[in-house]
Amino acid sequence: MTTGIVERIRTNRRELARLLTRIENGSASAEMAELYPHTGKAHIIGITGAPGTGKSSLVNALAQHYRQNNLTVGIVAVDPTSPFSGGAILGDRIRMRDRSGDSGVFIRSMATRGSLGGLARATSDVARALDAAGFDRVLIETVGAGQSEVDIARAAHTTLVVEAPGLGDDVQAIKAGILEIADILVVNKADRPGLEITLRALRAMLDLGHRAERIAQVKEMHHGQMMTVPAVSKAVPDENTAWQPPIAQTVSTEPRGIEELAGHIAAHRDYLQRTGLLVERERARIQNEILERVRDEVLSRLLSRIDEAQWRDLIARVQSRTLDPAGAAAVLLE
Ligand SMILES: Nc1nc2c(ncn2[C@@H]2O[C@H](COP(=O)(O)OP(=O)(O)OP(=O)(O)O)[C@@H](O)[C@H]2O)c(=O)[nH]1
Ligand SMILES: [Mg+2]
């Protein structure tokens, strides 16, 4: 009898690495089905922010903190431009203090090929595999540059948006429009000049209706569903109990402020559990994922039945204004 995938990835790092490669290649559906019952235990933490704010250094420092507390850490670095530079150093540093030979830390850089949508899906599946492999904390680093990061961050329970002083006139996250997804704001490089300006800008942003937005988001999550879902639990937060994103200050290279940050992360997890939001958000996420997968599959089945010439002809008709796009879609659906 062959050993199951869960047993193999838990005991053999090479097996885990191979599985993650198959996930990236989109050829791991059987394994994903097999390991899915073993997921749902890890705390998945997203770390995003503008380039150079110190996300990788922060991930390193957080991972070390968790290791010191005997928690295992899986790291996913989603970086479309550069490899995870701090990874090897971290791995070595952690391994040195571990006698069993199991470093307790596993780092994976995501390949950049494929569409961004595909990347978000693969990242979420990789996080899931690390969860099934038994890692207590899964850290996902993405460079905050737009919608793709927001999509990737959706896989996380707790999202950290990292800022750094002196990067420009404005707070970077505001420009990138990713402040809305922050459960915790981190001002890293707190040893740098301009710290107060950055803190003031962030506090002002939080006062300026960020809180209201969050509550609206929470409500939307329950009322904006595409299908009806069971009644919302009473515990769902209102204006008085909604999570107020704290602002943490860190110097990830020293490191300083990491314990406090880990405290905020744990508090957010507690909040999600206490309010029932953990369950509610997961339900919304599952619903979206199923619908997304159905949509992708239906679309690819449909498109496989249309030949190149038909497709070109349809586009030409729309371009010459003899058919409108909705009409073309109707033709395809027939
Ligand atoms: N002074 C200071 N420098 C820091 C701190 N954290 C990180 N750095 C430095 O900032 C630079 C960028 O750090 P990274 O951790 O690679 O930043 P990043 O956000 O992961 O960068 P990208 O992945 O390229 O977007 C490195 O030279 C770090 O040593 C800090 O708290 N204080
Ligand atoms: Mg980085």
Side-chain angles (χ1 to χ4, degrees), residues 52 54-57 77 79 82-85 141 143:
K55 299 176 295 297
S56 299
S57 312
D79 189 336
S82 68
F84 188 75
S85 52
E141 177 192 344
V143 179

Side-chain angles (χ1 to χ4, degrees), residues 29-42:
S29 49
E31 290 98 327
M32 288 315 289
E34 193 180 328
L35 62 77
Y36 192 74
H38 301 270
T39 62
K41 294 186 188 83

Side-chain angles (χ1 to χ4, degrees), residues 7-310:
E7 184 62 24
R8 278 186 282 137
I9 62 174
R10 281 189 181 171
T11 52
N12 187 334
R13 286 303 162 80
R14 214 161 275 167
E15 288 277 356
L16 177 58
R18 265 188 226 122
L19 172 65
L20 301 189
T21 301
R22 286 199 295 279
I23 290 174
E24 283 184 307
N25 295 335
S27 60
S29 49
E31 290 98 327
M32 288 315 289
E34 193 180 328
L35 62 77
Y36 192 74
H38 301 270
T39 62
K41 294 186 188 83
H43 185 184
I44 301 177
I45 302 155
I47 296 98
T48 191
T53 46
K55 299 176 295 297
S56 299
S57 312
L58 195 66
V59 164
N60 278 0
L62 267 175
Q64 275 184 294
H65 171 86
Y66 286 133
R67 287 305 291 142
Q68 280 156 11
N69 288 278
N70 287 320
L71 294 165
T72 53
V73 185
I75 298 170
V76 190
V78 187
D79 189 336
T81 53
S82 68
F84 188 75
S85 52
I89 301 158
L90 170 76
D92 290 344
R93 218 182 282 159
I94 300 293
R95 223 169 283 132
M96 274 194 299
R97 56 173 107 233
D98 194 276
R99 287 180 209 148
S100 68
D102 169 9
S103 69
V105 172
F106 184 90
I107 299 160
R108 179 72 179 200
S109 280
M110 295 296 291
T112 58
R113 69 195 115 95
S115 65
L116 281 173
L119 185 62
R121 168 81 49 81
T123 303
S124 148
D125 279 349
V126 163
R128 216 168 256 173
L130 293 173
D131 181 358
F135 292 99
D136 301 305
R137 301 287 181 274
V138 174
L139 308 177
I140 306 175
E141 177 192 344
T142 59
V143 179
Q147 186 58 40
S148 56
E149 279 64 41
V150 175
D151 289 343
I152 292 166
R154 260 189 221 133
H157 300 118
T158 301
T159 300
L160 276 51
V161 171
V162 185
E163 285 291 334
L167 281 181
D169 303 336
D170 297 316
V171 174
Q172 297 294 310
I174 300 170
K175 264 196 234 160
I178 54 171
L179 204 58
E180 290 78 12
I181 64 168
D183 296 306
I184 297 163
L185 287 159
V186 183
V187 181
N188 187 48
K189 305 196 184 184
D191 55 329
R192 287 284 190 82
L195 173 65
E196 278 309 317
I197 297 167
T198 303
L199 286 173
R200 223 176 297 137
L202 284 175
R203 285 191 197 111
M205 278 303 293
L206 289 179
D207 289 343
L208 277 174
H210 177 56
R211 193 172 150 87
E213 253 169 54
R214 290 221 130 235
I215 292 156
Q217 258 181 21
V218 166
K219 286 191 175 146
E220 192 191 330
M221 209 171 291
H222 298 296
H223 304 300
Q225 305 282 355
M226 292 171 75
M227 290 190 283
T228 47
V229 289
V232 168
S233 79
K234 281 188 290 275
V236 164
D238 57 20
E239 285 78 1
N240 300 315
T241 54
W243 175 259
Q244 179 87 50
I247 304 175
Q249 296 177 41
T250 58
V251 182
S252 55
T253 42
E254 279 187 24
R256 173 155 45 99
I258 301 302
E259 198 161 337
E260 291 81 353
L261 175 59
H264 288 307
I265 294 170
H268 184 251
R269 172 85 180 185
D270 288 346
Y271 162 82
L272 292 177
Q273 246 151 4
R274 195 175 63 243
T275 55
L277 269 177
L278 197 66
V279 174
E280 293 291 333
R281 281 188 182 182
E282 183 177 53
R283 182 156 58 196
R285 208 182 303 131
I286 289 169
Q287 178 178 295
N288 282 336
E289 183 173 340
I290 295 171
L291 289 174
E292 227 176 76
R293 285 178 186 276
V294 169
R295 192 196 57 204
D296 291 355
E297 184 59 30
V298 167
L299 189 64
S300 77
R301 279 187 203 182
L302 181 76
L303 292 179
S304 72
R305 285 199 257 140
I306 295 155
D307 65 47
E308 193 76 29
Q310 261 181 304

